[in-house]
Amino acid sequence: MAKYRIAWLPGDGVGNDVMDAARLVLDALGLDAEYPHGDIGWEIWRHEGDPLPQRTLKLLGETDCALFGAITSKPKEEADEELDPELRGKGYVYFSPIVRLRQELNLHTNIRPCTGYPGNPLNYKDGIDLIVFRENSEGLYSGIEFYPLPQKLRDAYSDHPKMERFARFANEDIAISTRLMTREGCERIVRNAFEYAKKFNRRSVTVVDKPNVLRETGGLMVRTARKVAKDYPNIPLWETNIDAQCMWLVKNPLDYDILVAENMFGDIISDLAAQLVGGLGFAASGNIGDNYAVFEPTHGSAPKYAGQYKVNPMAMLLTAKMMLDWLGEKDKADRLEAAIARVIAEGKVRTYDMGGSNTSLDVANAVVKYVIE
Ligand code: IPM
Ligand code: MG
């Protein structure tokens, strides 16, 4: 029996291409693992009315962790239209399977490192080294949404003075998405950010929210962060607003180190941070829970490139590196990262986004060469 069982979830579009690239590298590293395949994504939705079927959840329960490629996510109406005709009108509702995975498996901590590897022509500036800790299980992504506004809720809200301005609108003309945040969720994500900062000697932790306007949820986040920070007297806590932080990241990206935010703001800031170090082709991430984790590159499924082995697999390879670290395979993780850094620095094998014409698999093979050296 292999040492690890890793659920293999290519998903949609280029997910498959980059997963093939990852496999070349994992095999070259000699990781003692088996990779049972799991169905997830758009095609499964179209034919079964559920993009994350029970059998896949069961598989995850029988594995150590999962590696995930990419997923196509579309708004509700478009998802309905693409469902097989015989499934339409039967009450199937599309909800992003990756968001579901994060919530159903309580993968509360999304870690998104954004490292500007030397020699990457896409680096915005040299020396950028950011890590986004994104709360992954609550916030605006909770999925507690209403349209039309149920009368019961309307009644409950009616005491709120700010509701007065909306009194003239019918329930059918109001939609609500709830930003639900808990003290536990805020504390956990901030503590995980500080623990990481302590372990890896990072310079600072910046909590990013908008407490001047979102006074209750943002306020809870910032107050909780201040309290947690007291346990880490050697690591400064900075507090910023999401809008200003976006500007400052572009202006002074070297000033920041670890950024911690609730789900939606973490989503936004992690795309921005990724672009500073070469774009989504370099953005790795790990959805980490207490006993399970799903590793995924941040990029989407880029359907127009599906099957062409054109996209940059670096994000996926860096994601595999995160997985190796999480499994405790530090030596393999370090070897992989060093090989990736070397391929980037040499600049000989590059996908189109970096100005080259190599395939995803060419890049993986270039990494393999240094991994086995
Ligand atoms: C991400 C993506 C997802 C998200 C989408 C695909 C649902 O943007 O992982 O950042 O919003 O979390
Ligand atoms: Mg995103």
Side-chain angles (χ1 to χ4, degrees), residues 314-348:
M314 287 302 191
M316 183 79 236
L317 302 185
L318 290 164
T319 297
K321 179 243 173 223
M322 290 182 81
M323 180 183 80
L324 291 167
D325 268 326
W326 185 83
L327 286 170
E329 297 285 346
K330 187 173 181 318
D331 171 62
K332 289 185 170 55
D334 289 349
R335 266 163 64 205
L336 176 51
E337 188 177 26
I340 290 171
R342 223 169 128 184
V343 171
I344 294 172
E346 278 181 1
K348 287 193 222 139

Side-chain angles (χ1 to χ4, degrees), residues 71 73 96 98-99 102 110 112 134 136 141 263 267 270-271 285 296-298:
I71 217 89
S73 279
S96 165
I98 184 66
V99 174
R102 294 169 184 163
N110 192 333
R112 301 189 149 176
R134 167 184 177 185
N136 221 16
Y141 275 63
N263 219 334
D267 181 45
S270 60
D271 268 19
S285 82
E296 52 151 343
T298 308

Side-chain angles (χ1 to χ4, degrees), residues 131-198:
I131 306 180
V132 177
F133 275 69
R134 167 184 177 185
E135 205 295 321
N136 221 16
S137 63
E138 46 186 51
L140 257 182
Y141 275 63
S142 299
I144 303 168
E145 304 191 287
F146 302 94
Y147 176 77
L149 183 63
Q151 187 56 41
K152 247 165 84 181
L153 255 193
R154 180 150 215 157
D155 294 343
Y157 276 141
S158 65
D159 289 345
H160 200 291
K162 300 271 187 206
M163 236 4 230
E164 242 176 76
R165 282 193 310 121
F166 301 99
R168 68 189 180 87
F169 296 101
N171 288 351
E172 288 65 38
D173 294 326
I174 300 179
I176 287 193
S177 300
T178 315
R179 188 165 104 135
L180 192 156
M181 285 159 68
T182 66
R183 191 190 303 281
E184 181 183 286
C186 295
E187 170 151 6
R188 187 171 50 201
I189 193 69
V190 174
R191 191 168 292 286
N192 285 345
F194 269 101
E195 278 298 313
Y196 187 100
K198 188 171 147 190

Side-chain angles (χ1 to χ4, degrees), residues 32 47 97 130 135 174-175 225 239 255 278 304 321 339 348 353:
D32 183 11
H47 303 313
L130 301 161
E135 205 295 321
I174 300 179
E239 298 168 17
D255 286 0
K304 68 175 179 188
K321 179 243 173 223
K348 287 193 222 139
D353 55 318

Side-chain angles (χ1 to χ4, degrees), residues 57-282:
L57 288 168
K58 181 165 174 282
L59 172 74
L60 300 183
E62 297 159 0
T63 49
D64 297 292
C65 64
L67 200 59
F68 172 86
I71 217 89
T72 299
S73 279
K74 299 191 187 181
K76 227 172 93 186
E77 287 76 18
E78 281 169 61
D80 282 349
E81 280 162 25
E82 292 195 28
L83 203 53
D84 278 354
E86 68 271 19
L87 294 178
R88 279 184 219 152
K90 297 211 167 132
Y92 294 113
V93 181
Y94 184 82
F95 194 77
S96 165
I98 184 66
V99 174
R100 260 182 67 197
L101 269 186
R102 294 169 184 163
Q103 295 180 356
E104 286 179 30
L105 305 180
N106 195 20
L107 308 174
H108 42 71
T109 301
N110 192 333
I111 306 183
R112 301 189 149 176
C114 295
T115 309
Y117 288 96
N120 184 348
L122 301 174
N123 281 343
Y124 177 68
K125 275 186 187 165
D126 287 340
I128 296 174
D129 186 12
L130 301 161
I131 306 180
V132 177
F133 275 69
R134 167 184 177 185
E135 205 295 321
N136 221 16
S137 63
E138 46 186 51
L140 257 182
Y141 275 63
S142 299
I144 303 168
E145 304 191 287
F146 302 94
Y147 176 77
L149 183 63
Q151 187 56 41
K152 247 165 84 181
L153 255 193
R154 180 150 215 157
D155 294 343
Y157 276 141
S158 65
D159 289 345
H160 200 291
K162 300 271 187 206
M163 236 4 230
E164 242 176 76
R165 282 193 310 121
F166 301 99
R168 68 189 180 87
F169 296 101
N171 288 351
E172 288 65 38
D173 294 326
I174 300 179
I176 287 193
S177 300
T178 315
R179 188 165 104 135
L180 192 156
M181 285 159 68
T182 66
R183 191 190 303 281
E184 181 183 286
C186 295
E187 170 151 6
R188 187 171 50 201
I189 193 69
V190 174
R191 191 168 292 286
N192 285 345
F194 269 101
E195 278 298 313
Y196 187 100
K198 188 171 147 190
K199 186 164 169 202
F200 295 103
N201 252 324
R202 307 287 301 203
R203 288 176 295 148
S204 64
V205 172
T206 303
V207 60
V208 189
D209 207 285
K210 187 82 186 180
N212 53 345
V213 178
L214 304 172
R215 292 171 307 164
E216 303 311 336
T217 45
L220 181 66
M221 178 57 126
V222 171
R223 283 194 308 275
T224 307
R226 286 180 194 156
K227 195 163 148 257
V228 172
K230 292 207 173 92
D231 295 338
Y232 305 86
N234 299 323
I235 306 166
L237 170 73
W238 298 337
E239 298 168 17
T240 61
N241 288 331
I242 177 70
D243 51 343
Q245 185 63 61
C246 287
M247 195 175 64
W248 288 330
L249 268 188
V250 174
K251 191 165 178 237
N252 301 320
L254 303 186
D255 286 0
Y256 299 93
D257 192 325
I258 290 181
L259 302 160
V260 57
E262 67 86 38
N263 219 334
M264 182 85 244
F265 291 157
D267 181 45
I268 294 170
I269 207 93
S270 60
D271 268 19
L272 176 53
Q275 192 55 43
L276 299 176
V277 299
L280 291 174
F282 291 87

